[in-house]
Amino acid sequence: MKKLILLAATVAMLTACNDKKKSAEPLADSGRTVRTEALLSSLKQMAQDGQYMFGHQDDPVYGHEWVGDADRSDVKSVCGDYPAVMGFDLGHLELGDSANLDGVPFSRMRQEIISQFERGGVVTLSWHLNNPLSGGTAWVADSLKDIECHTVEAVLPGGEKHELFLSWIDRVAEFLNSLVTSDGTRVPVVFRPWHEHTGSWFWWGQDNCTTEQYVALWHLTEDRLREQGVVNALYAFSPNQMNNTTKATLMERYPGDDLVDIIGYDQYCSAAEGDTVAIADYAAKLDTYLGYICEAAQEHGKVAALTETGFESLKTPDWWTRTLAPVLAKHAVSYVLVWRNAHNIPTHFYAPFPGQQSADDFVVFYNDPRTLFARDLNGRLLTAE
């Protein structure tokens, strides 16, 4: 049986919050809810104990060849349990749309976030927001690059899109503040803005703004969220693999210890069917770069995580136990999140589904005492029970 991760101090803090309503929910010295700080403490303890939570993007809202079903999950269909971590994206929330960039209604997202909290799990939120200067997507378009490389400058104080951008952050704040259970409990979440900035495919990326502008963007975002009353968010900083990656390049644009709780890392396995050399190269680089991230997290007193990874189409039957798990066993990470299973792109999936060739191996991965899924948290990590 898997060991349950639960600190006595965390239990005490959570129990003390049991009957509190939103307006009376206690705040820690940090200004965040006690529950949010309890989540951070528990994440640190998981990493120290050599266990990590498994996460999946958009897990309960769609999967391989299905969309919108209630109480469904490809992961659960394979192993009988929900992921301990679920990821969702806020892209298009800034536009006032009713659904995000992948078609997930924000009302359904809110419901699933609360449900994940009530089953004892964790939620992480990314934000692929549109470009407020060009009107394009989060991804830099070659035809608009001359404009989009000035976007960060335009949203900072004094920039032509500053007021518009503040209204976009306010919509995120409104959504985060709406994550409240029926008894008034504010749901803690991990918010992961401005990710993969060491690449240049997003308008906030390496070649599209200076280090000073990126750090100012982070300060502006978090300061505004706090001004708007957001007290239920932890913040994750997550660079990505690039050529000649070092710990210094990964941490070059780190916004500061007062603004970051989790230091994460994004790296995907890109290999063709049967390309064992490329798979081995992914594992070797992941081992090295995740080591840098864990060292940085320890030096800064933060939690480490593998915030995005995966192998599209899972082209080998034993990727979970022969490629991913051996690397994670070497590093003190709190969670690993694989990307989504698109319902409308047959080859775009990162978690197994019934009949997929890695499904049996995933069950072995699930039963590994180091991996934690929703039931392993026993409903007591975050809930008021």
Side-chain angles (χ1 to χ4, degrees), residues 313-333:
S313 297
L314 292 165
K315 302 180 184 78
T316 57
D318 56 2
W319 188 78
W320 302 101
T321 62
R322 296 293 296 275
T323 301
L324 183 62
V327 176
L328 294 180
K330 300 179 184 181
H331 303 286
V333 297

Side-chain angles (χ1 to χ4, degrees), residues 125-177:
L125 299 170
S126 53
W127 188 21
H128 289 86
L129 70 165
N130 272 20
N131 189 307
L133 184 60
S134 71
T137 70
W139 289 264
V140 173
D142 289 341
S143 61
L144 297 173
K145 188 169 179 60
D146 289 343
I147 298 174
E148 295 183 325
C149 66
H150 297 290
T151 304
V152 174
E153 179 184 3
V155 304
L156 293 177
E160 62 182 288
K161 296 298 180 181
H162 179 62
E163 293 303 321
L164 173 64
F165 184 63
L166 290 181
S167 72
W168 286 12
I169 299 175
D170 290 350
R171 283 176 171 156
V172 172
E174 183 180 7
F175 182 81
L176 296 178
N177 287 333

Side-chain angles (χ1 to χ4, degrees), residues 22 25 33 90 93 97-98 105-115 117-118 123 125 169-189 225 228-233:
K22 178 178 176 181
E25 197 169 0
T33 68
L90 301 179
L93 181 67
D97 290 358
S98 62
F106 289 111
S107 58
R108 173 73 185 273
M109 188 185 299
R110 181 183 298 106
Q111 171 191 338
E112 294 296 346
I113 290 171
I114 294 171
S115 294
F117 169 78
E118 290 177 337
V123 166
L125 299 170
I169 299 175
D170 290 350
R171 283 176 171 156
V172 172
E174 183 180 7
F175 182 81
L176 296 178
N177 287 333
S178 75
L179 301 177
V180 181
T181 66
S182 59
D183 70 353
T185 300
R186 303 184 74 160
V187 176
V189 297
L225 290 174
Q228 296 301 311
V230 174
V231 293
N232 56 326

